[in-house]
Amino acid sequence: MRRFWTFLLTLCLLGSLAGCGTQTPPEPPSDAETPVPEIPAPEPPADPDEGHAIYDCGEIQIALPAEHLDLLMVDTAFPDAAERWKPLISVYERASVEAAEADWGEGSGAGFLFGVLAMDRAGYEQLLCEALPGVKVIAAEGERYYARTFPTDVQFYRSGGIDMESAEWRTWETLNQMDEAVMADMIRRNNLTPCDGAELFTRSFTWEGPHVCLRFCHPGKYGEDAYVLALSQPVRQGAGGVWCVDRWMYEGADPMIWFPDTGLPAGEYYAGLQAACDAGEHPELLTPAGAAAAFIRDYFGTEPAEEDLHPLDAEAEARAMADLRLRELVAEVYAGKDVDGMALLACLGLVGEDNWASLGMLEPVGLEGDWWPALLAALEGAAVGGDQPARDRDMMAFCLTIREDLSRRREAVARLVRTQRESDGGAFAAALESFSPEEQAYLKAAVDVDG
């Protein structure tokens, strides 16, 4: 059932996706008055091979700085890798590898710095499905995708432990700063197209057309888990079109992309499935419930009972659609696009707390960069206007959603709710009545700076 996960676990054991550390940026100068000279961007060398060791990785070339070669171990031999998920190079710090092997034996796994992974379209889609840590898509060439792999824990190893004041640690930090330039050179050297793999995560759905949401209740470890399955028609819309699960999520949580693990790109697979349905096969996939049951059998390995799968009521569907829409709206605001203020407030007034929190996570799950100032500006423009009670109610609901957020966002939204109260006290009072006594008490305390 989960063939892709099994393959990934095997790959991890081989060390091609060893875990990684986060490097601390250098401290700024202590004297803030000292002017910092402007450093021009370096000109690319006339000979791109100068000062580099070039590794032929089969489909592309990858260059490493020659000055560091004595400190590195480089692996480019992955004879058992398939085209679907193919490591091209893995780079290690030699001293960490040798120290770990001396203490723990061969293959102990320390010292990993970075690597490059190539995927076909099917492998790329499965990567997006799993949202794996330590893998970030950076480039593409047609239907071939390239990802940087990096550790998710600190891979530095010495028998005596880590001494962050030592010359060895400073060398380690220098080597960890190397991969950005290597990746940029790889893209330029092989005429690849930069690609971050995040575009699908900032869309409500993968497939255009009509959508249906169903709720699935599944016995979990600590009781009954509830999921929302959002379904689309990927090939033909309307009667006779095959349905598929497009996104799915825990109720109120971060939506996840879904592509079937078939070895084929999803578009190609669904086109074949549509042809089969047209020939009378798989009639159950012509209904949302039938397609949802097929997903549950494949992913959860269980046959859903009729009472475990049912449509959402109007309120639950509105919340689910808000969770699905959140990233798209925030991405549009961040990109400077015009977004309807009422639609933005309506979405933020319904989203789940976990879904909102995941916006700040790293790609591909969240949004990269400081998107909050742009969103705050859009909220400021939407706070006051026509149908003020609805604006107030949605802003209050959003204020409640982020009440546990310890950042600047909570205070900023509280100020906007205060602005709404000052703009139209009657509308504010009417909107406040729609919340529970406990929620009302929180909102009053949040906006009343005088207590």
Side-chain angles (χ1 to χ4, degrees):
M1 177 181 64
R2 306 303 301 141
R3 297 183 300 276
F4 185 67
W5 262 118
T6 302
F7 180 69
L8 284 183
L9 289 173
T10 303
L11 195 60
C12 287
L13 291 173
L14 292 175
S16 62
L17 293 180
C20 87
T22 301
Q23 297 305 309
T24 304
E27 293 292 330
S30 56
D31 184 2
E33 302 301 321
T34 303
V36 178
E38 185 176 335
I39 302 175
E43 292 290 334
D47 180 3
D49 293 350
E50 182 181 348
H52 291 84
I54 313 301
Y55 291 83
D56 187 346
C57 299
E59 53 196 82
I60 62 172
Q61 290 185 331
I62 298 174
L64 300 181
E67 62 179 312
H68 298 315
L69 283 187
D70 290 345
L71 304 174
L72 304 176
M73 292 182 66
V74 181
D75 189 2
T76 58
F78 304 95
D80 298 327
E83 292 301 307
R84 183 186 183 192
W85 186 267
K86 183 179 180 180
L88 300 181
I89 192 170
S90 291
V91 181
Y92 302 82
E93 190 217 19
R94 181 181 296 278
S96 287
V97 173
E98 292 176 347
E101 288 184 348
D103 287 352
W104 306 104
E106 188 175 351
S108 53
F112 181 61
L113 293 167
F114 62 89
V116 175
L117 177 72
M119 296 159 283
D120 62 13
R121 177 72 189 188
Y124 168 71
E125 289 175 348
Q126 289 306 304
L127 172 63
L128 297 183
C129 268
E130 304 295 353
L132 295 172
V135 186
K136 180 176 176 59
V137 175
I138 59 171
E141 184 179 28
E143 292 289 282
R144 197 68 170 159
Y145 296 85
Y146 298 90
R148 165 181 166 256
T149 60
F150 52 93
T152 54
D153 61 356
V154 177
Q155 290 279 297
F156 177 86
Y157 184 86
R158 296 295 187 274
S159 295
I162 299 177
D163 178 4
M164 293 189 176
E165 301 300 321
S166 67
E168 290 178 320
W169 179 259
R170 290 194 293 273
T171 297
W172 170 261
E173 289 188 313
T174 297
L175 296 179
N176 271 275
Q177 295 166 6
M178 179 174 60
D179 65 330
E180 184 176 344
V182 171
M183 298 302 145
D185 176 84
M186 180 190 79
I187 293 172
R188 182 173 57 248
R189 179 180 297 273
N190 297 283
N191 295 315
L192 305 178
T193 301
C195 168
D196 65 7
E199 187 267 340
L200 278 177
F201 287 90
T202 55
R203 284 167 48 186
S204 303
F205 294 96
T206 300
W207 312 103
E208 301 298 332
H211 309 290
V212 172
C213 289
L214 298 174
R215 188 172 186 265
F216 168 56
C217 299
H218 179 61
K221 184 176 181 181
Y222 302 106
E224 187 177 73
D225 291 331
Y227 302 90
V228 173
L229 309 179
L231 295 103
S232 301
Q233 291 183 293
V235 182
R236 181 190 309 151
Q237 285 70 55
V242 66
W243 287 87
C244 72
V245 169
D246 189 319
R247 300 285 196 274
W248 69 288
M249 56 188 164
Y250 293 101
E251 285 190 321
D254 180 38
M256 292 170 276
I257 290 175
W258 174 250
F259 294 108
D261 186 8
T262 66
L264 294 173
E268 183 179 339
Y269 170 73
Y270 285 133
L273 203 57
Q274 181 68 66
C277 288
D278 291 344
E281 302 176 38
H282 310 298
E284 71 279 5
L285 300 181
L286 298 178
T287 68
F295 165 82
I296 292 165
R297 284 192 294 270
D298 179 41
Y299 193 88
F300 293 100
T302 184
E303 185 68 38
E306 186 174 345
E307 63 270 17
D308 293 336
L309 187 63
H310 53 81
L312 304 180
D313 60 32
E315 181 179 352
E317 183 168 10
R319 289 186 178 277
M321 294 304 293
D323 279 326
L324 292 165
R325 181 79 170 119
L326 174 63
R327 269 164 196 70
E328 189 166 356
L329 279 173
V330 176
E332 288 174 354
V333 169
Y334 185 43
K337 297 181 181 178
D338 289 331
V339 173
D340 180 81
M342 290 290 285
L344 177 62
L345 284 174
C347 178
L348 293 173
L350 291 171
V351 295
E353 180 181 347
D354 290 343
N355 192 11
W356 162 257
S358 72
L359 277 182
M361 296 173 66
L362 295 178
E363 295 285 10
V365 178
L367 295 171
E368 212 167 48
D370 190 3
W371 42 266
W372 173 248
L375 179 58
L376 179 59
L379 289 174
E380 290 169 345
V384 176
D387 197 2
Q388 191 60 46
R391 294 176 188 267
D392 290 357
R393 187 168 53 250
D394 289 335
M395 192 76 81
M396 289 176 186
F398 181 44
C399 188
L400 290 166
T401 295
I402 63 172
R403 72 179 90 179
E404 301 300 326
D405 192 329
L406 300 180
S407 73
R408 53 189 169 156
R409 300 165 191 155
R410 183 178 62 181
E411 289 73 17
V413 174
R415 286 196 298 271
L416 291 178
V417 176
R418 189 180 308 125
T419 297
Q420 291 176 323
R421 181 183 65 180
E422 294 168 353
S423 172
D424 188 336
F428 183 88
L432 192 63
E433 286 298 317
S434 64
F435 295 93
S436 71
E438 180 185 358
E439 291 170 333
Q440 290 183 40
Y442 172 82
L443 289 167
K444 289 176 182 177
V447 303
D448 193 347
V449 292
D450 298 323

